[in-house]
Amino acid sequence: MKLQPDKSTVQTISGYGPGWIAVDAEKFVTSLVLGSRRERQAWDCDRFDALSAAHFAPLAALRPELVLFGSGARLRFPRPEWLLPLVECGIGLETMDTAAACRTYNILAGEGRHVVVALLLETTQG
């Protein structure tokens, strides 16, 4: 019997490393937002210290079940006031380092969940 891998209908993170993420084999070197419903957009931030509420508000407009925040090479939590638009919409947020967020996104998206991941790729020390 010949086994074939299932074809995914959602975009997946196919690789990652320090300073880069590959989505369906396309390489990105800047922060980005991905969604299981094919959302893909630049996330205009290159270091954790520059994040603000303005970076998280557009995530609520995507109306996912859950937002995953990849905080860079190490785990750092966003300020609670930055998350108010998500809280007001009843959208949960899980924070983890960017590598863990990539893995978790693939699992949840593969299960058919409407999930968005905001991945911080730092280009300067933060």
Side-chain angles (χ1 to χ4, degrees):
M1 177 165 51
K2 186 175 181 182
L3 298 176
Q4 297 285 338
D6 291 337
K7 291 214 181 232
S8 177
T9 59
V10 298
Q11 61 188 347
T12 58
I13 298 170
S14 53
Y16 54 85
W20 65 275
I21 301 280
V23 179
D24 295 333
E26 182 180 349
K27 193 171 183 178
F28 294 86
V29 294
T30 59
S31 299
L32 71 154
V33 173
L34 300 171
S36 58
R37 295 190 178 161
R38 312 273 330 147
E39 300 95 342
R40 186 186 303 185
Q41 59 195 47
W43 202 35
D44 187 26
C45 191
D46 64 357
R47 65 185 205 285
F48 185 84
D49 293 342
L51 285 171
S52 70
H55 291 97
F56 290 88
L59 303 177
L62 298 173
R63 300 286 186 200
E65 297 172 44
L66 176 67
V67 172
L68 302 171
F69 169 50
S71 63
R74 61 187 174 95
L75 180 62
R76 293 170 288 186
F77 293 92
R79 297 175 59 108
E81 60 267 24
W82 297 349
L83 308 179
L84 189 57
L86 295 170
V87 171
E88 289 174 342
C89 292
I91 299 168
L93 179 120
E94 291 291 333
T95 300
M96 52 198 78
D97 64 52
T98 294
C102 290
R103 294 187 301 269
T104 304
Y105 166 82
N106 281 347
I107 292 167
L108 295 176
E111 292 176 349
R113 303 277 304 272
H114 183 202
V115 61
V116 166
V117 63
L119 300 168
L120 178 63
L121 295 177
E122 294 182 290
T123 58
T124 59
Q125 290 293 64

